[in-house]
Amino acid sequence: MQILFYSPDNKPEPWLAGLAQTLPEASVQVWQHGMDTENVVPADYIVAWKPPAAMLAGHPRLKAVFNLGAGVDAILQLADALPPNVPVVRLDDAGMAVQMAEYVTYAILRHFRRFDDYELQARQQQWRFLKPNDKGDFSVGILGLGVLGSRIAEAVQHFGFPLRGWSRSRKDLPGIECFAGGDELEAFLRGTRILVCVLPLTAETTQILNRSTLEKLPKGAYLINVARGAHVAESDFLALIKSDHLAGATLDVFRNEPLPAQHPFWQEPRISITPHISALTLRDNSIGQIAEKIRALEQGKPIAGIVDLSKGY
């Protein structure tokens, strides 16, 4: 069994060691820029994050491409380079859902409890009581109710916020007022005070957070984006913060990463910025999941996490 590995964001050695331990029957090769097909042993499986199109060529016996993350938008941009009838498999969770639930819960509570305001007061040596917010007026709306969105909702439920959720297809989740499809998006937004975006990035969701949609949120709404930066129409979003329609935002993802030094987001104090760390891929969990799925495929068994290329997730 031959595995071809590539990840520009990770040192390959720990991944190779983990794959060798869990799949001792496999031979693993690291793909590097500049390699031509003569230097690459044809792979049975590709394990990659943001692979170049050249990596996907020359594998006549390829059985699956494993994406090292939950978001598959980068690999789907190479759809024309993917060998036909070869499944793309995403990580189901691998420890990311809990991390993302922690991050979003923190961002919600920080805004709701006015900790940003208290931090500013502390810097100015002010000791002043601020009127607390009413939780009944702080409905949390989760845009995207897949594995990650559902886990976030489960975490937030413990704090008693009114919960709403929107998804492309109808979901029925306990304790959540669920909306579905384009016809119900406006109603979902109009009742949402804190909007959490966990959508996959597709042609339909690119720049979904634009002036038209964000203006439907009530005045003083707050945005938390842990999905992809391309969901946000940046100039629309900034204008709505400057006009005070939006109270602020916590952003972990950006159209260009790292966020350029001159980007206006850095200059807006009502935007909290983190460097794409809301949910990191846990290596051991990921390797274990990939190995289990490869063994299942070798035995002709079905696996979870196969991406529907027509939907983009």
Side-chain angles (χ1 to χ4, degrees):
M1 181 196 304
Q2 187 72 26
I3 297 174
L4 188 60
F5 178 88
Y6 176 79
S7 178
D9 299 338
N10 297 286
K11 293 181 179 179
E13 290 80 10
W15 287 88
L16 302 187
L19 287 166
Q21 183 176 2
T22 55
L23 287 168
E25 67 272 31
S27 176
V28 185
Q29 182 179 19
V30 177
W31 190 90
Q32 297 177 337
H33 286 280
M35 278 185 163
D36 54 39
T37 53
E38 295 179 359
N39 303 123
V40 179
V41 179
D44 297 290
Y45 298 97
I46 286 175
V47 176
W49 176 244
K50 298 180 180 178
M55 181 187 181
L56 303 174
H59 306 288
R61 63 173 189 258
L62 189 65
K63 300 174 185 177
V65 176
F66 286 87
N67 183 66
L68 286 178
V72 295
D73 47 288
I75 202 169
L76 291 182
Q77 292 176 7
L78 306 175
D80 292 341
L82 290 169
N85 304 316
V86 173
V88 175
V89 186
R90 58 174 170 76
L91 294 178
D92 298 325
D93 180 350
M96 289 180 285
V98 169
Q99 295 177 71
M100 195 163 282
E102 293 168 347
Y103 181 100
V104 171
T105 300
Y106 165 79
I108 290 171
L109 293 175
R110 182 176 178 85
H111 177 60
F112 172 72
R113 291 294 306 270
R114 304 190 67 176
F115 290 139
D116 281 329
D117 296 328
Y118 280 114
E119 184 175 311
L120 179 60
Q121 285 189 179
R123 289 189 190 131
Q124 298 171 348
Q125 297 181 326
Q126 293 182 9
W127 183 282
R128 185 163 60 92
F129 169 82
L130 299 174
K131 182 180 179 181
N133 291 307
D134 183 348
K135 192 169 289 184
D137 294 333
F138 261 72
S139 56
V140 175
I142 300 172
L143 198 57
L145 289 175
V147 172
L148 300 177
S150 298
R151 185 63 183 86
I152 290 168
E154 182 184 338
V156 175
Q157 273 184 314
H158 292 292
F159 295 94
F161 290 96
L163 266 178
R164 304 154 68 81
W166 182 91
S167 53
R168 178 176 175 175
S169 56
R170 180 72 58 191
K171 300 286 179 70
D172 184 12
L173 300 174
I176 304 175
E177 185 180 4
C178 293
F179 300 78
D183 291 343
E184 297 181 15
L185 180 59
E186 181 174 347
F188 163 77
L189 293 169
R190 290 198 181 280
T192 294
R193 182 70 177 271
I194 298 180
L195 179 64
V196 181
C197 181
V198 209
L199 287 172
L201 184 63
T202 66
E204 290 75 24
T205 64
T206 297
Q207 296 207 121
I208 191 172
L209 301 176
N210 53 46
R211 180 178 292 275
S212 176
T213 52
L214 293 174
E215 278 186 332
K216 291 179 174 63
L217 295 168
K219 183 176 174 59
Y222 192 86
L223 173 65
I224 300 169
N225 188 15
V226 290
R228 287 290 185 267
H231 285 122
V232 178
E234 294 184 350
S235 58
D236 292 356
F237 163 70
L238 271 174
L240 290 171
I241 285 187
K242 293 185 181 300
S243 70
D244 295 326
H245 184 78
L246 294 179
T250 295
L251 305 179
D252 185 54
V253 289
F254 305 90
R255 189 176 299 272
N256 296 306
E257 297 181 0
L259 188 64
Q262 301 306 313
H263 198 285
F265 284 1
W266 290 114
Q267 312 306 319
E268 175 49 68
R270 288 170 289 184
I271 299 177
S272 295
I273 293 170
T274 52
H276 205 147
I277 48 79
S278 59
L280 304 176
T281 300
L282 301 181
R283 185 176 61 246
D284 291 345
N285 294 36
S286 302
I287 289 172
Q289 185 182 136
I290 290 167
E292 182 179 344
K293 290 186 176 183
I294 286 178
R295 288 205 173 94
L297 289 171
E298 289 292 297
Q299 297 169 20
K301 296 179 180 178
I303 61 170
I306 294 179
V307 176
D308 185 333
L309 299 183
S310 65
K311 293 181 179 178
Y313 56 89

